[in-house]
Amino acid sequence: MNHSLSCPRCNSTRIATRDYARKAGGALGAAAGAAGSATAALGGAEAGAALGMVAGPVGSIFGGLAGALMGALFGGAAGCAAGTAVGEQIDTHVLDNYECNACGHNFGQPRSF
């Protein structure tokens, strides 16, 4: 909630942010990052399987799965962070990101030149 803003329609200071682009960007970025990290996940699976061989075949299987999972998680986290940052810029500079809790009016950030 940003108390320094007021609604241009009713002058209320009860303003909330909607953050639609930030939320969508984070979700899309996480999905793209996880999918795009397939190569890293496969590399992690190979490394995990090699390290798991110390514990035998079962260790190799669990090591491979853990390595693949870690690769996908790291890729998803990086994609989520990037998508959230892009979405935040869209919310701030393109969309009407503010909503008045008093009258329901949506408006963008006031431009300062």
Side-chain angles (χ1 to χ4, degrees):
M1 190 143 142
N2 194 337
H3 291 288
S4 63
L5 291 176
S6 62
C7 175
R9 181 182 289 166
C10 71
N11 291 322
S12 172
T13 56
R14 294 181 22 215
I15 307 299
T17 56
R18 298 173 352 154
D19 296 330
Y20 291 141
R22 182 182 62 81
K23 293 171 189 171
L28 290 172
S37 67
T39 303
L42 291 176
E46 290 174 3
L51 289 173
M53 277 305 281
V54 172
V58 174
S60 178
I61 292 170
F62 285 119
L65 289 173
L69 181 62
M70 292 302 291
L73 287 174
F74 286 133
C80 181
T84 299
V86 170
E88 187 172 344
Q89 291 302 310
I90 292 171
D91 279 334
T92 301
H93 300 292
V94 178
L95 299 178
D96 289 341
N97 193 42
Y98 298 101
E99 181 175 16
C100 177
N101 290 332
C103 72
H105 179 63
N106 298 321
F107 59 97
Q109 181 174 353
R111 308 266 189 256
S112 58
F113 296 98

